[in-house]
Amino acid sequence: MQLKKMALACVAVLGMSTAAWADINIGVTLSATGPAASLGIPEKNTISLLPTSIGGQKVNYIVLDDASDTTAAVTNTRKLISERNVDVIIGSSTTPASLAMIDAVAEAKTPMITLGASAAIIEPQDAKKKWVFKTPQNDIMMALAIAEHMAANGVKTAAYIGFSDAYGEGWAKEFAKALELKKIKLVANERFSRTDTAVTGQVLKIMATKPDAVLVGGSGTPAALPQKTLKERGYAGQYYQTHGVANADFLRVGGKDVEGTLLPAGPVLVADQLPATNPVRKAALEYIKAYEGAYGKGSVSTFGGHAWDAGQVLKAAIPVALKAGQPGTPQFRSALRDAMEGVKEVAGAHGIFTMSPSDHLGLDQRARVMVTIQNGQWKYIGTK
């Protein structure tokens, strides 16, 4: 009997030891192919730069491609949760896919950090969205930066053409609010698909209203199409884009047609041009050094920075969550959610993150700068 008790005690101890050293599994679904590939590729590249050990525990990243497809993103999410028992999901790259993933993570009570931009992914907070966090700046923060710049430069009328999906609709809504605050009249409001090859009809409608400026509410390389078409048709007003185009692929596809374009972006895009006093400069340069060290000089983009920032949030939250539960358990996933909600002053490539129960983004005005495209390069022009 005594030997049996000792054997059971040894089994219990071994079980505790195994649990103590259980791996942390992070599931990732990104748009590495398809229309949003210019977002997903740098995000996927960045995942390989994230720490493989946090809080003394080994970290595994299981990365799947959703091919810029909403249904595939949901399928990947459910697969990562049910088959790989992941502790947290990172993804997806786009707003529509991220919105579609919310039900899956909420049902499984598994926290998710989206790389999609729309505030609708995390707002308003409810029983489902309490499991969702994000790292890209909210649309309204960036829309206000555009409207402020327009007002300061004499723009009285503006037109909008955006994606015919949640990203484009979200931007249309926030841009209209920002314009109203600055007493700028919205004279045209058009849509196009990410996969469209022509937008002539929409552009002609915009040009008929003779706006002082046009904002394209798109992301990645598809956002170049309306601007190239406007240029071809002779529009000579001011062009604005969203932070969804801040990568080298957009510059390559847009070419001379995007010269002089203005947009708000995360500080990482022009980190080496920022003043030494900028609070994000150091953290942004750290990411650039890591990414360019792996993929070559000039290869960094803001989209990869969002994935890096997801890693920084997890690096701060995981050690806290480990005090409440072991990886692979519901207790750990719940504790990780709570810990992410409590992160304070976490420096990332795009800004400083301080989250709360009512704010699952946690960025402030330190997370945006205004840039222009000059000689095929991004140029910092200020914070407003």
Side-chain angles (χ1 to χ4, degrees):
M1 179 63 73
Q2 188 66 26
L3 286 173
K4 184 177 181 181
K5 287 182 179 179
M6 288 176 65
L8 288 171
C10 287
V11 169
V13 170
L14 285 170
M16 288 172 63
S17 176
T18 300
W21 291 101
D23 291 355
I24 297 166
N25 291 316
I26 297 176
V28 185
T29 178
L30 300 170
S31 304
T33 58
S38 64
L39 285 67
I41 291 172
E43 292 166 352
K44 181 181 178 181
N45 288 346
T46 299
I47 296 297
S48 68
L49 306 176
L50 298 183
T52 55
S53 177
I54 301 175
Q57 304 285 76
K58 182 183 177 185
V59 180
N60 302 313
Y61 299 90
I62 303 102
V63 184
L64 301 179
D65 176 20
D66 57 43
S68 307
D69 180 77
T70 297
T71 301
V74 175
T75 300
N76 285 352
T77 302
R78 294 191 183 280
K79 181 177 182 180
L80 289 165
I81 291 170
S82 63
E83 297 180 15
R84 304 304 293 268
N85 195 35
V86 298
D87 297 298
V88 60
I89 295 281
I90 295 177
S92 182
S93 306
T94 68
T95 290
S98 297
L99 285 168
M101 291 161 58
I102 294 174
D103 282 347
V105 297
E107 288 168 11
K109 295 184 177 179
T110 299
M112 160 181 153
I113 305 178
T114 176
L115 308 182
S118 176
I121 305 171
I122 58 169
E123 296 176 0
Q125 279 287 297
D126 57 24
K128 291 182 178 180
K129 292 179 181 179
K130 68 176 283 188
W131 292 96
V132 185
F133 300 80
K134 82 183 187 84
T135 53
Q137 299 87 340
N138 278 341
D139 298 342
I140 188 60
M141 180 189 299
M142 299 312 219
L144 283 169
I146 292 173
E148 288 168 4
H149 190 276
M150 285 182 173
N153 288 274
V155 171
K156 302 297 182 186
T157 59
Y160 175 80
I161 176 168
F163 285 157
S164 54
D165 61 21
Y167 184 88
E169 293 301 330
W171 257 97
K173 179 181 176 181
E174 303 300 353
F175 185 51
K177 289 181 187 175
L179 290 183
E180 186 176 358
L181 287 171
K182 295 299 176 181
K183 310 300 181 186
I184 298 172
K185 185 178 181 182
L186 182 65
V187 294
N189 195 345
E190 298 293 326
R191 299 290 183 276
F192 72 107
S193 170
R194 292 174 187 256
T195 55
D196 280 350
T197 57
V199 289
T200 305
Q202 298 96 312
V203 162
L204 290 175
K205 290 179 183 178
I206 287 172
M207 292 187 66
T209 66
K210 299 180 179 179
D212 296 329
V214 175
L215 169 63
V216 179
S219 63
T221 53
L225 178 61
Q227 188 159 342
K228 291 178 76 70
T229 307
L230 281 160
K231 282 281 188 178
E232 289 169 4
R233 291 287 170 169
Y235 177 70
Q238 181 60 60
Y239 294 87
Y240 289 83
Q241 290 272 356
T242 74
H243 56 309
V245 303
N247 68 3
D249 280 344
F250 176 77
L251 297 178
R252 175 182 56 79
V253 171
K256 61 180 177 56
D257 291 327
V258 298
E259 277 288 306
T261 301
L262 294 156
L263 64 145
V268 68
L269 189 66
V270 288
D272 60 343
Q273 301 174 41
L274 298 176
T277 54
N278 186 288
V280 185
R281 188 177 192 274
K282 181 180 178 181
L285 287 173
E286 179 185 350
Y287 168 60
I288 292 171
K289 181 180 179 181
Y291 193 95
E292 293 189 345
Y295 301 104
K297 187 170 177 58
S299 58
V300 77
S301 82
T302 63
F303 303 112
H306 297 314
W308 177 265
D309 288 350
Q312 304 315 297
V313 169
L314 288 173
K315 190 162 69 171
I318 284 173
V320 177
L322 286 169
K323 297 174 184 177
Q326 295 299 325
T329 67
Q331 292 81 4
F332 179 73
R333 292 191 289 272
S334 180
L336 183 55
R337 190 216 75 86
D338 293 347
M340 284 195 286
E341 195 171 77
V343 298
K344 306 293 182 188
E345 292 292 305
V346 172
H350 280 280
I352 312 297
F353 293 85
T354 295
M355 298 190 188
S356 70
S358 61
D359 184 359
H360 279 199
L361 169 62
L363 291 175
D364 55 27
Q365 300 308 314
R366 294 174 291 182
R368 71 177 197 188
V369 295
M370 286 299 295
V371 303
T372 188
I373 299 171
Q374 189 176 94
N375 298 321
Q377 301 291 327
W378 307 109
K379 182 175 176 59
Y380 171 67
I381 58 173
T383 56
K384 293 183 179 181

